[in-house]
Amino acid sequence: MESSVSAGETPRGRQRLSRERVLTAAVGVADAGGIGALTIRSLAEQLGAKPMSVYYHVAGKEAILDGIVDVVFSEIDLPTPGRDWRSELRRRAASARQVLRRHRWAIGLMESRTVPGPATLRHHDAVIATLRAAGFSLEMTAHAYALIDSYTYGFALQEAGLPFEGPDTVAPVAESIMEQFTAGDYPHLVEMATGYYFKTTYDFADEFDFGLNLILDALSNSLPSAMSSDTGGGDPNS
């Protein structure tokens, strides 16, 4: 008679489960169906295991959410403190946006966990270290971090909700919207659409770099060295 499958195995080929495999599968379930589709039962089905086998590696739904958020943070490129801070934070923001395009369910969860994992903590520490090495005070580091992340997460959220993707889909969607109202009702909207969106290879994705550069420019002006140059010297900490 066959022996029973242990809590660390799945019935398919008796592949041993691990916390890493469980979390990878959980990310896959969320990617496919959204965070609402992620349950212990759906996760067990994805793994080809019994629900009790999943509990052997994660305590419950909250532990799974903690874990998959940490997986997402682990996929984002870390900035390197001491290098050009603008380039490093631009690279990190671009990477975060790309990761959130793959895991759209994660946008609202990134800063929500009270039991952050090592990748999450390592990520935050690297961003803070990069800003501090650039010369930002503790107060300005807090401001800069909040500003960059609110822009990055907000852009990712807006991008995920758009009814079009890429320059080839803007005009058809805009035209269908314009067909729903009478000519002359919204003249400025029509002018923008016909005078710019339709006449260029407009891609909403390009707006990310434009906005991020404005933020980084403004933050550059808040550094002590920049303020000292503007005032002709003096105490940069005053």
Side-chain angles (χ1 to χ4, degrees), residues 103-150:
H103 310 301
R104 295 184 175 184
W105 52 267
I107 297 173
L109 290 176
M110 295 295 281
E111 304 299 336
S112 69
R113 312 314 300 166
T114 57
V115 187
T120 304
L121 297 172
R122 184 165 54 250
H123 183 96
H124 288 311
D125 190 71
V127 175
I128 292 170
T130 300
L131 289 166
R132 292 290 285 151
F136 288 97
S137 67
L138 290 174
E139 180 181 8
M140 280 307 304
T141 293
H143 293 331
Y145 203 165
L147 180 60
I148 292 171
D149 272 11
S150 61

Side-chain angles (χ1 to χ4, degrees), residues 50-169:
K50 295 181 179 180
M52 288 308 299
S53 297
V54 175
Y55 283 115
Y56 185 81
H57 299 281
V58 289
K61 181 69 176 287
E62 290 302 310
I64 293 173
L65 293 179
D66 290 338
I68 61 176
V69 165
D70 206 50
V71 169
V72 173
F73 269 111
S74 74
E75 295 180 8
I76 301 174
D77 291 343
L78 292 177
T80 302
R83 294 183 180 176
D84 178 69
W85 69 273
R86 287 177 57 114
S87 298
E88 291 300 301
L89 293 183
R90 185 183 294 108
R91 179 172 60 82
R92 175 255 178 186
S95 176
R97 175 180 162 236
Q98 291 301 319
V99 169
L100 292 175
R101 292 183 74 176
R102 295 197 300 269
H103 310 301
R104 295 184 175 184
W105 52 267
I107 297 173
L109 290 176
M110 295 295 281
E111 304 299 336
S112 69
R113 312 314 300 166
T114 57
V115 187
T120 304
L121 297 172
R122 184 165 54 250
H123 183 96
H124 288 311
D125 190 71
V127 175
I128 292 170
T130 300
L131 289 166
R132 292 290 285 151
F136 288 97
S137 67
L138 290 174
E139 180 181 8
M140 280 307 304
T141 293
H143 293 331
Y145 203 165
L147 180 60
I148 292 171
D149 272 11
S150 61
Y151 174 74
T152 302
Y153 294 161
F155 192 95
L157 181 63
Q158 185 176 9
E159 191 172 32
L162 290 175
F164 53 82
E165 184 174 359
D168 295 336
T169 61

Side-chain angles (χ1 to χ4, degrees), residues 17-48 54 57-58 60-72 75 102-106 109:
L17 290 184
S18 65
R19 187 173 186 275
E20 181 180 1
R21 281 195 62 212
V22 169
L23 294 179
T24 298
V27 170
V29 172
D31 286 346
I35 202 67
L38 180 59
T39 64
I40 295 295
R41 183 173 297 277
S42 66
L43 180 53
E45 290 176 355
Q46 178 77 3
L47 289 163
V54 175
H57 299 281
V58 289
K61 181 69 176 287
E62 290 302 310
I64 293 173
L65 293 179
D66 290 338
I68 61 176
V69 165
D70 206 50
V71 169
V72 173
E75 295 180 8
R102 295 197 300 269
H103 310 301
R104 295 184 175 184
W105 52 267
L109 290 176

